[in-house]
Amino acid sequence: MATPFSDVFDYFLSNITDYSLLELHNVELEENMKSWLMGAIVNYPNPKSDLFNFDSIDNKFNIDISQGEKIILGKLMAIEYINPFILDETLLKQSLNSKDYRSYSPAKQLETLQKIKNELSNDVSLMISRQSYSVNNIKEWFGKKE
């Protein structure tokens, strides 16, 4: 069976609260989410499934991916979504002196965005390590069949 991208998109959308995305046309929103998904796939270390086996025209994976992989991809998409905001805030802070920056932007915004990204990254790392150290994987490593 195939897994539609929309399954992963649902997990991504559950990780963020950006109501400005609702203002986007469905086609534009889907294109953005596909872009974030592609970044998430590239940044997913050692997935169990071949995540590069997808059909970008029909917006689906050509394979069945697990719930765990969908959740991890959703969190990785959230990281991809946050990255431009962090880069934008970093460049803004560098181009203005500290007094100007404080008057144009909340002082903690960049720090908060980086904290959110770090928390998401930690969640993903924990989920991936739990996935890779499952009982079935350990049995496979030692050559034991169920």
Side-chain angles (χ1 to χ4, degrees):
M1 287 191 69
T3 300
F5 288 171
S6 61
D7 287 3
V8 178
F9 294 166
D10 291 341
Y11 286 107
F12 160 70
L13 291 170
S14 72
N15 282 295
I16 63 165
T17 348
D18 183 354
Y19 297 110
S20 67
L21 292 178
L22 296 173
E23 297 172 5
L24 297 177
H25 189 273
N26 286 342
V27 174
E28 187 179 3
L29 176 61
E30 190 169 300
E31 286 303 313
N32 284 333
M33 288 195 293
K34 275 175 63 174
S35 172
W36 297 322
L37 177 60
M38 295 304 117
I41 290 170
V42 169
N43 289 309
Y44 192 144
N46 305 316
K48 289 185 175 187
S49 304
D50 179 11
L51 298 178
F52 288 98
N53 184 3
F54 61 82
D55 182 342
S56 61
I57 295 171
D58 289 333
N59 295 328
K60 66 177 183 171
F61 292 96
N62 295 322
I63 54 170
D64 239 357
I65 63 172
S66 71
Q67 285 301 109
E69 289 171 317
K70 292 175 194 176
I71 293 168
I72 291 169
L73 283 170
K75 287 188 181 288
L76 287 167
M77 283 178 68
I79 292 170
E80 290 296 310
Y81 166 79
I82 288 172
N83 279 337
F85 293 108
I86 293 172
L87 293 172
D88 187 39
E89 284 295 310
T90 302
L91 295 174
L92 178 64
K93 189 173 183 177
Q94 289 172 354
S95 66
L96 299 172
N97 68 41
S98 62
K99 181 181 176 189
D100 289 337
Y101 183 75
R102 275 189 234 112
S103 67
Y104 288 108
S105 176
K108 296 278 185 182
Q109 186 172 2
L110 177 60
E111 182 181 328
T112 302
L113 287 170
Q114 288 173 327
K115 183 179 178 184
I116 291 168
K117 179 181 176 180
N118 288 338
E119 287 175 10
L120 284 169
S121 295
N122 290 339
D123 285 349
V124 167
S125 294
L126 179 63
M127 293 172 79
I128 290 171
S129 76
R130 284 182 178 165
Q131 185 180 61
S132 64
Y133 290 111
S134 71
V135 173
N136 291 333
N137 284 345
I138 293 171
K139 287 180 182 178
E140 288 175 16
W141 290 344
F142 291 105
K144 296 186 178 185
K145 305 281 185 210
E146 288 187 18

